[in-house]
Amino acid sequence: SKKDRKEQRSSFRDILRGVEEGDPPSEKVKFGQEVLYLDCWYKKVQYDWFCKPLGSGMNLHLSSNYMLREVFELGAPLPAFDAATSHRPSKTERNAANQLAFKARTQSRNKNRDKRSAVF
């Protein structure tokens, strides 16, 4: 198909540039807090082949799949972010605080409006 031919031409241009100029690929893939550097051809080819079946789930697999992390030499996965141990309030807590602040601001504005109208 047209998409396959376009991908094949792009790959061929990359490989040709690599052979003619001795230029290895230099791509980096960010997933979560980590970065995967694709600095040689075999890593790039492996990554492309894993991307085909995994598709958009590739980043999730890179962060948690032990076999995939071993293939790309990423080591053990980073510890998962635990919302209970974080110092950042949850979304519902932030919303509650914002609602209280909004209510207090509205009440103080209303009081000031009454005082302004009484003074001439």
Side-chain angles (χ1 to χ4, degrees):
S1 71
K2 187 175 182 178
K3 183 178 177 184
D4 293 334
R5 286 193 309 267
K6 183 177 178 182
E7 184 180 330
Q8 185 179 21
R9 286 187 196 115
S10 173
S11 297
F12 183 75
R13 280 193 303 268
D14 290 342
I15 293 169
L16 182 64
R17 185 177 341 107
V19 171
E20 287 180 346
E21 299 172 12
D23 205 15
S26 60
E27 291 184 25
K28 70 180 176 182
V29 179
K30 294 180 183 178
F31 57 99
Q33 298 173 343
E34 298 179 87
V35 178
L36 170 65
Y37 292 99
L38 303 173
D39 52 357
C40 49
W41 285 108
Y42 76 92
K43 280 187 180 180
K44 181 170 176 17
V45 170
Q46 281 179 334
Y47 181 79
D48 290 343
W49 277 101
F50 278 115
C51 277
K52 286 184 181 184
L54 297 177
S56 62
M58 184 66 176
N59 288 346
L60 177 66
H61 280 277
L62 280 173
S63 62
S64 61
N65 188 332
Y66 287 99
M67 188 208 64
L68 205 58
R69 292 183 68 83
E70 190 175 311
V71 167
F72 290 109
E73 301 167 359
L74 293 170
L78 293 178
F81 179 72
D82 188 12
T85 61
S86 73
H87 300 292
R88 186 172 169 225
S90 69
K91 186 174 182 178
T92 54
E93 291 171 342
R94 287 193 315 260
N95 281 346
N98 286 338
Q99 288 172 351
L100 288 174
F102 183 76
K103 184 175 183 178
R105 198 168 43 245
T106 302
Q107 288 173 345
S108 71
R109 284 181 184 159
N110 288 339
K111 285 180 187 177
N112 288 337
R113 284 188 189 120
D114 291 343
K115 289 178 185 176
R116 282 193 310 228
S117 64
V119 177
F120 280 92

